[in-house]
Each structure stands twice: as C-alpha cells, then as structure tokens.
Amino acid sequence: MAGNGGFDRKDAATAPVDATVPQPSRGGRRGLDWFVFFVADVQTGFGAFVAVFLTTQRWTQVDIGLVLTVSGLVGLVGQVPLGAFVDSVRSVRATAAVALTAIGIAAFAFAAWPIFPVVLASRVLHAAASCIVSFAIVSLSLGLAGPGGMSERLGRNAAFASAGTGIAAAVMGLCGQYLSSQAVFFLATALVAPALFALTRIRPDEIRTAPAAPRREGKGLQASIAGLAVLARNRTLVIFAGCIAMFHLANAAMLPLAASMVTLRSSQAATLMVAAAVIVPQLTVTVLSPWIGRAAQRWGRRPFLILGFVALAVRAFLFSLTGDPKLLVLFQVLDGVSATVLGVLVPLTIADLARGSGHFNLAQGLVGCAMGIGAAVSTILAGFMADAFGSYAAFTTLAAVAAAGLVLITLTMPETRPAEEAP
C-alpha cells in the first residue's frame, strides 16, 4: 500500500463508487477501533508514571528532568522528518506494527534496567516510535474510511483513545498501588500484544491507496525539504498551524497552573483535584467525539474549530475567577469539549488541506511541531506571569491568548470541507 493519506479531489469523488476499491469490512473497522484503544493503553504508562517510577529508583529530579526533556525534544523535532518518513513507506500497516513493537521494547527495557543510559535510550525510542504510530493511525483511518468517512472515523478514534486512556490509567494506578510502579511498564509491554492482534484485523486490501510525493522531489532529506516548501505555499495550512500553536500556547499550562494554585492551599485537595480534572475531560471526549465526527462532516469544520477556541477562552476566564477545586473540576468539562474538537478536527482539516499533495503525514508533523512549540512556550509564559503578577494575571493572560486565537481563526480560517463531500 502507498504509505500516506491525502487524496486528490477527483479520487475523493470517485472512490465511493469505484468497484475496484473494496469497502472496509466490519472486522477491519473494529480492528482499527481496538488498535486505537490498546495503543492508548500502552501510551498511558509513559505519562505521569515515568517520574513516579524513577523517583522510587532514587533518581534525582535533575536526572528525571533531563530524560523527560530529551525525549520531549525528540518528540518535537522528530515530527517533521518522521512525518515525511511515514509518507514514503510502502505499508503504513507494517510500519505501525514495527513502531508499536519498539514502544513495547522501550517499556520493557525502561522497567527492567532503570539505569541512565538504558532509560535515556528507551525514552528516545519511545518518543520517535510514538510519532510514527500517531501518524500511522490517522493514515490508516483515511485509507480505511476514505475522505468521505474520515470525519466519523476520527470521532470513533477519539472516543476509543479516550476510553483506553481512562481505563488504563485506573488499572495502572491500581498496579502501582498494590504491586509496584515497575509493574506499570511491564503491563504496558504486555498490552502491545492485543494492539498488534487488532492491527492484523485490518486487511491490506481494504485500505485505499493514496498518491505518493512526486518523484522529482527526491528521497530522504531532499524530499522532506521539498515537501516543506510545497506545504509552505499552502497559505491556509500555515494559518491553521499558527492557530493551533496559539491554542496550545493558551491551553498547555492551564491545568498545571490550577493544580499549583490549589496545592498552595491544600496538597491533599490538589491530588484529588488533579485526578478528577484528568478523568472529567476523558469522559467528555468519549461521549462527544462520535457526534462531533458526524457533525463536522454534515456542517463543516470551521464552526467546530471556533467552538473549540470559545470553550478554551471561557475556561481560562473561569479559572481566573476561583480557586475552588470542585469548580475547577467542573470547568474541565470545557477542556473535554476543546479536546474533542481538536482531536477530531486537526487531523481532519490537515487531510482536507494536504489532499493530493503526497505529504499528508509531513503536514501532520508540521502542525504537530507547531503544537509542541506552543505548549512549551505556554508553561514558561504562565510560570513567569504567576511568579511576577499572581495566578489571576497568569490565567487572564492565557485567556487573552485564547481570545486572540479565536479572533484569528474566525477571521482567517476558511471552511476546508470539500464541496463534493457536503451532504
């Protein structure tokens, strides 16, 4: 299979009636559902449990911070070249299997040999493989559902990923509580097996092929540079990347800042607040994602992108008004709304804009890099404002950034749903 998403408009219009393109079976659709679910399970182990496990191994906070920073940089810098790599592979399905296996190896090595060289190598391997798996999931979704079914498919992906994250967090938390924090990573390794089995349920002949990048663009680094030049001329894609960067600039620091604010009043309340504040958005995403996926195909992408920014700005403003943990958790429903919109609409909009270019995953990497930069700057900006002027000023600043992003996306972002896909 050609290894990318992105279809041209002619292909999109003819695909549903093309007898040479098999429609996905129920087994294939379910296979992708459960692949997304178990990938989320596996990835959950590499969240907050990393710092907990390394702390039990008597690592210093400096060493923990260094490992997390290096892996974060790999995940950020690797977005573009790894996106170009996934565009170039012959089989995204096989590539996803190899990358997921690499994540399992990283989890096992991390738990079995918690020494600095092994931990650092496993974190770097995990960061790179996670990028590839993320790109592969969206590419498989587009290949399986086709352009016309992409919106609903992404809604299902978001729902299954959210459910997987929530369930895995609970199970891994119990493992950490009653067994050991090391057991969390062995469980993550074991969960690779059902994820790979689910992937085998997607038959290669059910996946629509997509055009590759033009041969004149060359291979490797040359192809990446040429692809970036092509995408840079796509004005709407550049605007979209800027809007998404502003979203994460406003969003990334919000919950950590709220948790710090509550911790200063009561550390016990902060622990409960953070746990509930993570669960509430996950439940919201699970419930809303399928509806958002269907509605974005029916009414277009732009109204829901605007909705996501509105929910973000309102949440930041409400956070600035109170430090009551119960209210802060309640406000996290708005985070679930924004997370649902971004989880479905970002890859969907990229698929619209990169259609026919042969650079679908490279475009995903470009927007993903913008997300990472926005999130990194967010924590620095919020920390400075909170230390210098107080938490109210920090939340107000984040609300202002969200409002600016709302104005930008409202005034400059056109509707990207192809006309032939309108109901």
Side-chain angles (χ1 to χ4, degrees):
M1 137 186 164
N4 52 40
F7 294 71
D8 62 31
R9 294 181 184 270
K10 182 178 178 181
D11 289 341
T14 60
V17 296
D18 188 351
T20 65
V21 180
Q23 297 304 303
S25 64
R26 184 174 184 273
R29 296 193 301 270
R30 292 297 186 188
L32 184 55
D33 288 339
W34 290 108
F35 179 64
V36 171
F37 177 87
F38 284 114
V39 166
D41 286 352
V42 173
Q43 296 284 45
T44 299
F46 285 89
F49 297 106
V50 168
V52 172
F53 173 60
L54 293 179
T55 300
T56 64
Q57 299 300 307
R58 298 182 180 178
W59 278 50
T60 66
Q61 292 303 308
V62 172
D63 286 342
I64 294 174
L66 177 60
V67 167
L68 294 178
T69 299
V70 171
S71 61
L73 289 174
V74 170
L76 176 61
V77 176
Q79 291 276 338
V80 171
L82 291 174
F85 167 73
V86 177
D87 279 329
S88 69
V89 299
R90 293 183 60 84
S91 172
V92 173
R93 182 172 171 271
T95 302
V98 172
L100 185 59
T101 301
I103 293 175
I105 292 171
F108 182 85
F110 183 90
W113 301 286
I115 57 176
F116 189 85
V118 175
V119 168
L120 181 61
S122 68
R123 290 293 297 165
V124 169
L125 177 61
H126 168 260
S130 293
C131 286
I132 293 174
V133 170
S134 297
F135 294 144
I137 286 175
V138 182
S139 289
L140 287 171
S141 300
L142 183 54
L144 196 67
M150 182 67 163
S151 183
E152 185 172 355
R153 178 68 254 176
L154 289 174
R156 290 180 64 87
N157 286 0
F160 273 84
S162 182
T165 298
I167 293 173
V171 173
M172 289 178 176
L174 291 174
C175 284
Q177 179 70 28
Y178 295 106
L179 297 176
S180 69
S181 55
Q182 184 183 41
V184 168
F185 298 95
F186 288 132
L187 177 59
T189 303
L191 287 170
V192 169
L196 289 174
F197 176 76
L199 187 60
T200 64
R201 301 289 293 169
I202 307 171
R203 299 201 309 268
D205 61 355
E206 294 183 325
I207 303 172
R208 296 169 173 85
T209 58
R215 291 185 178 181
R216 65 177 180 275
E217 294 181 2
K219 297 181 180 180
L221 180 60
Q222 181 183 358
S224 298
I225 295 173
L228 285 174
V230 170
L231 296 177
R233 293 194 292 271
N234 188 330
R235 179 175 177 272
T236 305
L237 180 63
V238 173
I239 291 172
F240 182 65
C243 291
I244 298 304
M246 291 190 70
F247 181 96
H248 285 273
L249 176 60
N251 181 66
M254 208 173 295
L255 183 57
L257 182 60
S260 297
M261 184 175 64
V262 174
T263 301
L264 293 176
R265 301 180 183 182
S266 171
S267 59
Q268 183 177 7
T271 302
L272 294 174
M273 175 261 183
V274 170
V278 170
I279 293 172
V280 167
Q282 294 293 340
L283 292 174
T284 306
V285 171
T286 302
V287 172
L288 287 183
S289 291
W291 180 82
I292 290 289
R294 292 190 296 269
Q297 186 63 21
R298 185 171 186 175
W299 295 319
R301 305 4 172 176
R302 189 170 180 273
F304 293 99
L305 287 171
I306 292 173
L307 174 63
F309 276 84
V310 169
L312 176 65
V314 171
R315 172 167 159 255
F317 175 72
L318 292 175
F319 269 33
S320 71
L321 298 180
T322 180
D324 185 335
K326 294 180 181 178
L327 289 176
L328 294 177
V329 170
L330 179 62
F331 298 156
Q332 280 295 94
V333 171
L334 292 171
D335 184 37
V337 173
S338 294
T340 302
V341 169
L342 270 289
V344 175
L345 270 296
V346 167
L348 181 59
T349 303
I350 294 171
D352 293 339
L353 296 174
R355 183 169 298 185
S357 69
H359 297 299
F360 173 53
N361 291 292
L362 181 60
Q364 285 196 83
L366 182 64
V367 175
C369 189
M371 288 181 184
I373 293 172
V377 176
S378 177
T379 54
I380 297 172
L381 174 64
F384 170 76
M385 293 299 296
D387 288 342
F389 305 104
S391 58
Y392 173 81
F395 281 122
T396 302
T397 301
L398 296 179
V401 174
L406 173 60
V407 171
L408 179 63
I409 203 165
T410 302
L411 296 180
T412 63
M413 189 69 192
E415 176 57 57
T416 61
R417 182 189 61 186
E420 64 269 16
E421 291 182 15

